[in-house]
Amino acid sequence: MPTAIAVTGADLALPPQDERTVPAAVLDGLDRRPLDQAVADVQTLLDQHGHLVVLYSRAVPAAVEQRLHTVRSLLESDRIALFRPELPPLGLAVLARQLRQLASCDLSPGVLASAGRLLTHYIHAGALLASVARLDRVPVGLTSHARSWMPGSQFAVLAHPQPQLVKIGPDTLLDGPEFGTWMLVGRGRLQSDWVTGTLAPAWRTQGLRETEAPAESAAWWGTDKLIEFCAYLPDLSVLYQLVTSVRQTVCHWCGIDVIGDLCVFCSATPPPAHEPRPTRALTAGGPRTHRALTTGG
């Protein structure tokens, strides 16, 4: 079975992009279930898939994040990767679906999980807001704060890859991607056609789909009067080429293949060049380093 890609809410499990997209594992209400049931559910996913990558946003309730770390600690598993990217909820849902697409390919669990950080750079995520008075994810000047109290004001905000905030006007635009993308639009309680009628054509999107904004979007953006949007790469062949073109390394700590300098499963970074690699040993739980044995890791 392919590596499991999990999200913390059913509205973050987007419909398949293509016929190869694997289903998302939904860990909904993780903080409201008994701890032993949460542990059992995650253990079942590990038994079925071998490795688990959980994506969750920075707007997730603190109790959910704490439960994720508690479950991972209780299972003492280095086969669970917890990934919280700098993306708003709709962008995170898109990224999770891209990893679900890649899960059907011949990528090792470490490379697949590492691909999340790589693909984040190719996502343009933002929102159209009726107010920025409570927005704290993107720098907001005093003038914008004052304007947000004026009736009828709307603001276009780009959260990623580079923060940008502008008041909607006749010629208002946001900096968009310099490559071909599709756009997903998540509608909240704000009524406007600016995203679909102005922004999407200006960004030369090759396709557009609509959905409801995730439940976490209101907390992330500071208002539910919003229309969230995300431009992304939809084609599996392009995603696969991006990931496989990056140099792969082996984590010196857990021995898994990764891309980049941080192992998403054990969080180890490469040791300094002058520092000798730790000696590996075998334990009942599988390969571990000598340091892990002596520290109880």
Short mmCIF file of all heavy atoms in Angstrom, two decimals, residues 241-288:
data_model
loop_
_atom_site.label_atom_id
_atom_site.label_comp_id
_atom_site.label_asym_id
_atom_site.label_seq_id
_atom_site.Cartn_x
_atom_site.Cartn_y
_atom_site.Cartn_z
N GLN A 241 8.32 15.03 -11.93
CA GLN A 241 9.59 15.50 -12.47
C GLN A 241 10.27 16.47 -11.52
O GLN A 241 11.50 16.44 -11.34
CB GLN A 241 9.36 16.18 -13.83
CG GLN A 241 10.64 16.63 -14.52
CD GLN A 241 10.39 17.23 -15.89
OE1 GLN A 241 9.24 17.38 -16.30
NE2 GLN A 241 11.45 17.57 -16.59
N LEU A 242 9.49 17.34 -10.90
CA LEU A 242 10.06 18.29 -9.94
C LEU A 242 10.72 17.55 -8.77
O LEU A 242 11.84 17.87 -8.37
CB LEU A 242 8.97 19.22 -9.40
CG LEU A 242 8.55 20.39 -10.27
CD1 LEU A 242 7.32 21.08 -9.68
CD2 LEU A 242 9.69 21.39 -10.43
N VAL A 243 10.01 16.57 -8.24
CA VAL A 243 10.51 15.86 -7.06
C VAL A 243 11.73 15.00 -7.40
O VAL A 243 12.72 14.99 -6.66
CB VAL A 243 9.39 15.00 -6.44
CG1 VAL A 243 9.94 14.13 -5.31
CG2 VAL A 243 8.27 15.89 -5.93
N THR A 244 11.68 14.29 -8.50
CA THR A 244 12.78 13.38 -8.84
C THR A 244 14.00 14.10 -9.39
O THR A 244 15.07 13.49 -9.49
CB THR A 244 12.31 12.33 -9.86
OG1 THR A 244 11.76 12.99 -11.01
CG2 THR A 244 11.26 11.42 -9.25
N SER A 245 13.87 15.38 -9.73
CA SER A 245 15.02 16.13 -10.24
C SER A 245 15.89 16.68 -9.11
O SER A 245 16.99 17.18 -9.36
CB SER A 245 14.55 17.28 -11.13
OG SER A 245 13.81 18.24 -10.38
N VAL A 246 15.41 16.58 -7.88
CA VAL A 246 16.16 17.09 -6.72
C VAL A 246 17.04 15.98 -6.15
O VAL A 246 16.64 14.82 -6.08
CB VAL A 246 15.19 17.60 -5.64
CG1 VAL A 246 15.95 18.12 -4.43
CG2 VAL A 246 14.30 18.70 -6.20
N ARG A 247 18.23 16.35 -5.75
CA ARG A 247 19.18 15.37 -5.23
C ARG A 247 18.65 14.72 -3.94
O ARG A 247 18.17 15.41 -3.05
CB ARG A 247 20.53 16.03 -4.95
CG ARG A 247 21.61 15.06 -4.47
CD ARG A 247 22.93 15.78 -4.30
NE ARG A 247 22.86 16.81 -3.28
CZ ARG A 247 23.13 16.59 -1.98
NH1 ARG A 247 23.49 15.38 -1.59
NH2 ARG A 247 23.05 17.58 -1.12
N GLN A 248 18.74 13.42 -3.88
CA GLN A 248 18.32 12.69 -2.69
C GLN A 248 19.52 12.35 -1.81
O GLN A 248 20.62 12.12 -2.30
CB GLN A 248 17.59 11.40 -3.08
CG GLN A 248 16.34 11.61 -3.91
CD GLN A 248 15.64 10.31 -4.23
OE1 GLN A 248 15.88 9.28 -3.58
NE2 GLN A 248 14.75 10.34 -5.21
N THR A 249 19.28 12.34 -0.51
CA THR A 249 20.31 11.95 0.45
C THR A 249 19.71 10.92 1.41
O THR A 249 18.50 10.66 1.38
CB THR A 249 20.83 13.16 1.23
OG1 THR A 249 19.73 13.78 1.94
CG2 THR A 249 21.48 14.18 0.31
N VAL A 250 20.56 10.37 2.24
CA VAL A 250 20.11 9.40 3.25
C VAL A 250 20.24 10.06 4.62
O VAL A 250 21.30 10.58 4.96
CB VAL A 250 20.94 8.11 3.19
CG1 VAL A 250 20.52 7.15 4.29
CG2 VAL A 250 20.78 7.44 1.83
N CYS A 251 19.17 10.03 5.39
CA CYS A 251 19.21 10.60 6.74
C CYS A 251 20.22 9.81 7.59
O CYS A 251 20.13 8.59 7.70
CB CYS A 251 17.82 10.54 7.37
SG CYS A 251 17.80 11.08 9.11
N HIS A 252 21.15 10.54 8.18
CA HIS A 252 22.20 9.86 8.97
C HIS A 252 21.64 9.28 10.26
O HIS A 252 22.28 8.46 10.91
CB HIS A 252 23.32 10.84 9.30
CG HIS A 252 22.97 11.80 10.40
ND1 HIS A 252 22.14 12.89 10.20
CD2 HIS A 252 23.33 11.84 11.71
CE1 HIS A 252 22.01 13.56 11.34
NE2 HIS A 252 22.71 12.94 12.26
N TRP A 253 20.44 9.69 10.64
CA TRP A 253 19.87 9.26 11.92
C TRP A 253 18.99 8.02 11.77
O TRP A 253 19.21 7.01 12.44
CB TRP A 253 19.07 10.41 12.53
CG TRP A 253 18.56 10.13 13.91
CD1 TRP A 253 17.30 9.78 14.26
CD2 TRP A 253 19.32 10.15 15.12
NE1 TRP A 253 17.22 9.59 15.61
CE2 TRP A 253 18.45 9.82 16.17
CE3 TRP A 253 20.66 10.41 15.42
CZ2 TRP A 253 18.86 9.74 17.49
CZ3 TRP A 253 21.07 10.35 16.74
CH2 TRP A 253 20.18 10.01 17.76
N CYS A 254 17.99 8.10 10.87
CA CYS A 254 17.06 6.97 10.74
C CYS A 254 17.27 6.16 9.47
O CYS A 254 16.64 5.13 9.28
CB CYS A 254 15.61 7.46 10.82
SG CYS A 254 15.08 8.51 9.46
N GLY A 255 18.15 6.64 8.58
CA GLY A 255 18.52 5.87 7.41
C GLY A 255 17.53 5.92 6.26
O GLY A 255 17.67 5.17 5.29
N ILE A 256 16.55 6.84 6.31
CA ILE A 256 15.55 6.92 5.25
C ILE A 256 16.01 7.88 4.17
O ILE A 256 16.77 8.82 4.43
CB ILE A 256 14.19 7.36 5.85
CG1 ILE A 256 13.04 6.96 4.93
CG2 ILE A 256 14.16 8.87 6.13
CD1 ILE A 256 11.67 7.11 5.57
N ASP A 257 15.59 7.66 2.93
CA ASP A 257 15.91 8.57 1.83
C ASP A 257 15.09 9.84 1.97
O ASP A 257 13.88 9.80 2.21
CB ASP A 257 15.60 7.92 0.48
CG ASP A 257 16.51 6.74 0.17
OD1 ASP A 257 17.65 6.74 0.68
OD2 ASP A 257 16.09 5.84 -0.57
N VAL A 258 15.75 11.00 1.79
CA VAL A 258 15.06 12.28 1.90
C VAL A 258 15.58 13.22 0.82
O VAL A 258 16.60 12.95 0.18
CB VAL A 258 15.27 12.93 3.29
CG1 VAL A 258 14.66 12.07 4.38
CG2 VAL A 258 16.75 13.18 3.56
N ILE A 259 14.88 14.32 0.62
CA ILE A 259 15.40 15.43 -0.16
C ILE A 259 15.40 16.65 0.75
O ILE A 259 14.48 16.86 1.53
CB ILE A 259 14.56 15.68 -1.44
CG1 ILE A 259 13.09 15.88 -1.12
CG2 ILE A 259 14.73 14.54 -2.42
CD1 ILE A 259 12.22 16.17 -2.33
N GLY A 260 16.47 17.44 0.65
CA GLY A 260 16.61 18.57 1.55
C GLY A 260 17.48 18.24 2.74
O GLY A 260 18.06 17.15 2.84
N ASP A 261 17.55 19.18 3.69
CA ASP A 261 18.46 19.05 4.83
C ASP A 261 17.78 18.58 6.11
O ASP A 261 18.44 18.39 7.12
CB ASP A 261 19.13 20.40 5.11
CG ASP A 261 20.05 20.84 3.98
OD1 ASP A 261 20.60 19.96 3.30
OD2 ASP A 261 20.20 22.06 3.78
N LEU A 262 16.47 18.41 6.08
CA LEU A 262 15.75 18.01 7.30
C LEU A 262 14.94 16.76 7.03
O LEU A 262 14.17 16.70 6.07
CB LEU A 262 14.82 19.14 7.75
CG LEU A 262 13.92 18.84 8.96
CD1 LEU A 262 14.76 18.68 10.22
CD2 LEU A 262 12.87 19.93 9.14
N CYS A 263 15.12 15.77 7.88
CA CYS A 263 14.32 14.55 7.76
C CYS A 263 12.95 14.79 8.37
O CYS A 263 12.85 15.19 9.54
CB CYS A 263 15.01 13.38 8.47
SG CYS A 263 14.06 11.83 8.41
N VAL A 264 11.92 14.58 7.59
CA VAL A 264 10.57 14.88 8.06
C VAL A 264 10.06 13.83 9.05
O VAL A 264 9.07 14.08 9.74
CB VAL A 264 9.60 14.99 6.88
CG1 VAL A 264 9.89 16.21 6.05
CG2 VAL A 264 9.68 13.75 6.02
N PHE A 265 10.71 12.69 9.13
CA PHE A 265 10.25 11.65 10.04
C PHE A 265 10.92 11.74 11.41
O PHE A 265 10.27 11.64 12.43
CB PHE A 265 10.47 10.26 9.43
CG PHE A 265 9.46 9.92 8.38
CD1 PHE A 265 9.79 9.98 7.04
CD2 PHE A 265 8.17 9.55 8.72
CE1 PHE A 265 8.85 9.69 6.05
CE2 PHE A 265 7.23 9.24 7.74
CZ PHE A 265 7.56 9.33 6.41
N CYS A 266 12.23 11.93 11.45
CA CYS A 266 12.91 11.99 12.75
C CYS A 266 13.41 13.39 13.09
O CYS A 266 13.97 13.61 14.16
CB CYS A 266 14.06 11.01 12.79
SG CYS A 266 15.49 11.48 11.78
N SER A 267 13.25 14.35 12.15
CA SER A 267 13.63 15.76 12.34
C SER A 267 15.13 15.98 12.46
O SER A 267 15.57 17.04 12.90
CB SER A 267 12.92 16.35 13.58
OG SER A 267 11.52 16.29 13.44
N ALA A 268 15.92 14.99 12.08
CA ALA A 268 17.37 15.15 12.15
C ALA A 268 17.87 16.00 10.99
O ALA A 268 17.33 15.98 9.89
CB ALA A 268 18.04 13.78 12.11
N THR A 269 18.91 16.77 11.26
CA THR A 269 19.60 17.54 10.23
C THR A 269 20.99 16.95 10.05
O THR A 269 21.53 16.30 10.96
CB THR A 269 19.71 19.02 10.62
OG1 THR A 269 20.35 19.13 11.91
CG2 THR A 269 18.33 19.66 10.70
N PRO A 270 21.62 17.16 8.89
CA PRO A 270 22.95 16.59 8.67
C PRO A 270 23.95 17.08 9.71
O PRO A 270 23.93 18.26 10.09
CB PRO A 270 23.32 17.10 7.27
CG PRO A 270 22.02 17.41 6.61
CD PRO A 270 21.13 17.90 7.71
N PRO A 271 24.83 16.20 10.20
CA PRO A 271 25.84 16.63 11.16
C PRO A 271 26.89 17.49 10.45
O PRO A 271 27.02 17.44 9.22
CB PRO A 271 26.44 15.31 11.64
CG PRO A 271 26.26 14.39 10.47
CD PRO A 271 24.96 14.78 9.85
N PRO A 272 27.62 18.32 11.21
CA PRO A 272 28.72 19.08 10.59
C PRO A 272 29.70 18.15 9.89
O PRO A 272 29.84 16.98 10.26
CB PRO A 272 29.36 19.78 11.79
CG PRO A 272 28.29 19.84 12.84
CD PRO A 272 27.47 18.60 12.64
N ALA A 273 30.35 18.67 8.87
CA ALA A 273 31.24 17.84 8.06
C ALA A 273 32.34 17.18 8.87
O ALA A 273 32.78 16.08 8.57
CB ALA A 273 31.84 18.68 6.93
N HIS A 274 32.80 17.86 9.95
CA HIS A 274 33.91 17.32 10.73
C HIS A 274 33.43 16.33 11.79
O HIS A 274 34.24 15.66 12.44
CB HIS A 274 34.66 18.46 11.43
CG HIS A 274 33.81 19.22 12.41
ND1 HIS A 274 32.96 20.24 12.02
CD2 HIS A 274 33.66 19.09 13.76
CE1 HIS A 274 32.34 20.73 13.09
NE2 HIS A 274 32.73 20.04 14.14
N GLU A 275 32.09 16.23 11.99
CA GLU A 275 31.58 15.35 13.03
C GLU A 275 31.35 13.95 12.48
O GLU A 275 30.69 13.78 11.46
CB GLU A 275 30.26 15.91 13.58
CG GLU A 275 29.67 15.09 14.71
CD GLU A 275 28.40 15.71 15.25
OE1 GLU A 275 28.42 16.93 15.49
OE2 GLU A 275 27.40 14.99 15.42
N PRO A 276 31.90 12.91 13.12
CA PRO A 276 31.71 11.55 12.61
C PRO A 276 30.25 11.12 12.72
O PRO A 276 29.52 11.56 13.61
CB PRO A 276 32.59 10.70 13.53
CG PRO A 276 32.70 11.50 14.80
CD PRO A 276 32.70 12.94 14.36
N ARG A 277 29.81 10.28 11.79
CA ARG A 277 28.45 9.76 11.83
C ARG A 277 28.29 8.83 13.03
O ARG A 277 29.20 8.07 13.35
CB ARG A 277 28.14 8.99 10.54
CG ARG A 277 28.05 9.88 9.31
CD ARG A 277 27.76 9.05 8.08
NE ARG A 277 27.62 9.90 6.91
CZ ARG A 277 26.47 10.40 6.49
NH1 ARG A 277 25.37 10.12 7.17
NH2 ARG A 277 26.40 11.16 5.41
N PRO A 278 27.15 8.88 13.71
CA PRO A 278 26.94 7.98 14.85
C PRO A 278 26.88 6.53 14.42
O PRO A 278 26.46 6.22 13.31
CB PRO A 278 25.60 8.46 15.42
CG PRO A 278 24.92 9.15 14.28
CD PRO A 278 26.03 9.75 13.46
N THR A 279 27.30 5.66 15.32
CA THR A 279 27.29 4.24 15.04
C THR A 279 25.88 3.69 15.14
O THR A 279 25.17 3.96 16.11
CB THR A 279 28.20 3.49 16.04
OG1 THR A 279 29.50 4.06 15.98
CG2 THR A 279 28.24 2.02 15.72
N ARG A 280 25.45 2.95 14.13
CA ARG A 280 24.12 2.37 14.15
C ARG A 280 24.14 1.00 14.84
O ARG A 280 25.13 0.30 14.85
CB ARG A 280 23.58 2.21 12.72
CG ARG A 280 23.40 3.54 12.01
CD ARG A 280 22.86 3.33 10.62
NE ARG A 280 21.54 2.73 10.63
CZ ARG A 280 20.41 3.43 10.78
NH1 ARG A 280 20.47 4.72 10.96
NH2 ARG A 280 19.24 2.82 10.77
N ALA A 281 23.01 0.66 15.44
CA ALA A 281 22.90 -0.62 16.12
C ALA A 281 21.52 -1.17 15.87
O ALA A 281 20.61 -0.46 15.45
CB ALA A 281 23.15 -0.45 17.62
N LEU A 282 21.32 -2.44 16.15
CA LEU A 282 20.01 -3.07 15.97
C LEU A 282 19.34 -3.23 17.32
O LEU A 282 19.97 -3.65 18.30
CB LEU A 282 20.16 -4.44 15.29
CG LEU A 282 20.57 -4.42 13.82
CD1 LEU A 282 20.75 -5.84 13.35
CD2 LEU A 282 19.53 -3.70 12.97
N THR A 283 18.05 -2.88 17.37
CA THR A 283 17.27 -3.08 18.58
C THR A 283 16.04 -3.88 18.19
O THR A 283 15.79 -4.15 17.03
CB THR A 283 16.83 -1.74 19.19
OG1 THR A 283 15.86 -1.14 18.34
CG2 THR A 283 18.01 -0.79 19.35
N ALA A 284 15.24 -4.18 19.19
CA ALA A 284 14.02 -4.93 18.90
C ALA A 284 13.08 -4.16 18.01
O ALA A 284 12.26 -4.72 17.29
CB ALA A 284 13.31 -5.28 20.21
N GLY A 285 13.18 -2.81 18.02
CA GLY A 285 12.29 -2.01 17.20
C GLY A 285 12.83 -1.73 15.83
O GLY A 285 12.22 -1.03 15.05
N GLY A 286 14.00 -2.26 15.50
CA GLY A 286 14.58 -2.00 14.19
C GLY A 286 15.87 -1.24 14.31
O GLY A 286 16.42 -1.07 15.39
N PRO A 287 16.43 -0.74 13.19
CA PRO A 287 17.69 -0.04 13.22
C PRO A 287 17.59 1.26 13.99
O PRO A 287 16.67 2.04 13.82
CB PRO A 287 17.98 0.25 11.74
CG PRO A 287 16.90 -0.38 10.96
CD PRO A 287 15.86 -0.86 11.87
N ARG A 288 18.52 1.49 14.86
CA ARG A 288 18.61 2.73 15.62
C ARG A 288 20.08 3.12 15.72
O ARG A 288 20.97 2.29 15.62
CB ARG A 288 18.05 2.57 17.04
CG ARG A 288 16.56 2.21 17.07
CD ARG A 288 15.72 3.45 16.91
NE ARG A 288 14.31 3.13 17.00
CZ ARG A 288 13.35 4.04 17.04
NH1 ARG A 288 13.65 5.32 16.98
NH2 ARG A 288 12.09 3.68 17.13
#
